Amino acid sequence: MIRRPPRSTPKPSSAASDVYKRQIIMNNDLRTYLNEKISVLPKWLSAHLHRTAELAVKFADYYEEDIQKCELAALSHDIVKHYDNKDLINIVLTENIDCLDFELKNPNVLHGPVASHFILNYIDDNVIFESVRWHTSGHHTFNNISKIVFLSDKVDPVKVKKRPELNEVRKLAFDNLDESIIKYFDIQFDYFESNKIVIHPESVKFYESLI
């Protein structure tokens, strides 16, 4: 892989200084929250979060995107993956979390909306929120940061080992984000159809926005 030269971080202007400082504080608060949350997760889940975050950092560095946002979103995305579906539905209804009818009928995807709700008080950034909220299906409004988080989850080495066909996605990941995600959906849609799994409507919109 060709290594890019180190990037210099521009010094924020005086007008942006307060916003910059607030973002640092919020990111530190989120990291503290996540460290505590992840420390008590099942080992298989905490390991997945750390692998996903490691990949997200590599992709962010390569594509010259915000490394910290990618890492924090990746660490956040599955923090309630181990919750029971009934508990997820109860949280959504109790907290009045905005969800699609499809998601309420298929509560196995509710861990994204619930996780994004849990980190809401620790972020001042819509990109992190959206990356976590839609990490299962993807979303047609995703920017590169959100695409990186989405892809990092899908090509976790353990997932690729279980499904070798995802190796194609992993190989494309350092060439073109959009092409790698298109390849992922090509594979995943076939997998869903053959296993009679209903496709998330937002996945279809996301896919169509890329082709």
Side-chain angles (χ1 to χ4, degrees), residues 160-208:
V160 174
K161 186 175 182 180
K162 291 179 180 178
R163 294 181 59 195
E165 66 271 25
L166 293 177
N167 256 314
E168 296 180 63
V169 181
R170 181 185 60 80
K171 290 175 182 177
L172 279 171
F174 283 106
D175 290 329
N176 187 297
L177 276 177
D178 287 358
E179 290 299 324
S180 61
I181 294 172
I182 289 169
K183 173 57 71 175
Y184 168 76
F185 279 128
D186 286 340
I187 294 170
Q188 196 70 352
F189 288 166
D190 286 344
Y191 175 82
F192 280 179
E193 288 174 8
S194 63
N195 287 277
K196 302 186 184 305
I197 300 173
V198 182
I199 299 171
H200 196 301
E202 198 53 56
S203 293
V204 177
K205 291 181 183 178
F206 185 29
Y207 176 76
E208 290 176 345

Side-chain angles (χ1 to χ4, degrees), residues 82-95:
H82 59 306
Y83 281 27
D84 182 86
N85 284 346
K86 290 182 180 179
D87 291 334
L88 291 171
I89 292 173
N90 184 56
I91 293 169
V92 166
L93 297 178
T94 302
E95 300 295 325

Side-chain angles (χ1 to χ4, degrees), residues 153-165:
D153 174 38
K154 308 312 179 190
V155 296
D156 170 354
V158 172
K159 292 184 178 182
V160 174
K161 186 175 182 180
K162 291 179 180 178
R163 294 181 59 195
E165 66 271 25

Side-chain angles (χ1 to χ4, degrees), residues 19-167:
V19 174
Y20 181 75
K21 289 177 182 177
R22 175 173 170 76
Q23 187 177 58
I24 291 175
I25 292 171
M26 295 296 282
N27 285 346
N28 287 340
D29 288 347
L30 176 57
R31 191 175 295 279
T32 299
Y33 169 77
L34 290 174
N35 284 340
E36 294 174 355
K37 190 80 173 175
I38 293 172
S39 69
V40 295
L41 291 179
K43 289 183 178 180
W44 64 267
L45 183 51
S46 62
H48 166 62
L49 290 173
H50 286 300
R51 287 193 303 269
T52 303
E54 184 178 346
L55 277 172
V57 167
K58 290 179 180 178
F59 288 139
D61 182 52
Y62 184 78
Y63 287 107
E64 298 187 348
E65 295 294 341
D66 190 306
I67 290 175
Q68 187 164 218
K69 288 181 182 181
C70 289
E71 181 191 18
L72 290 172
L75 286 171
S76 303
H77 81 281
D78 267 356
I79 55 173
V80 296
K81 176 74 172 177
H82 59 306
Y83 281 27
D84 182 86
N85 284 346
K86 290 182 180 179
D87 291 334
L88 291 171
I89 292 173
N90 184 56
I91 293 169
V92 166
L93 297 178
T94 302
E95 300 295 325
N96 197 28
I97 300 173
D98 187 28
C99 292
L100 303 178
D101 287 341
F102 173 89
E103 293 170 322
L104 293 173
K105 293 175 182 176
N106 298 272
N108 57 302
V109 301
L110 286 176
H111 62 283
V114 172
S116 63
H117 178 76
F118 279 7
I119 66 171
L120 201 52
N121 291 332
Y122 303 95
I123 57 175
D124 190 21
D125 188 293
N126 197 51
V127 173
I128 294 177
F129 177 86
E130 294 293 324
S131 300
V132 176
R133 167 63 178 87
W134 298 104
H135 79 269
T136 301
S137 62
H139 197 272
H140 68 280
T141 62
F142 268 7
N143 64 8
N144 276 357
I145 290 175
S146 297
K147 290 175 183 177
I148 283 170
V149 175
F150 176 84
L151 191 61
S152 299
D153 174 38
K154 308 312 179 190
V155 296
D156 170 354
V158 172
K159 292 184 178 182
V160 174
K161 186 175 182 180
K162 291 179 180 178
R163 294 181 59 195
E165 66 271 25
L166 293 177
N167 256 314

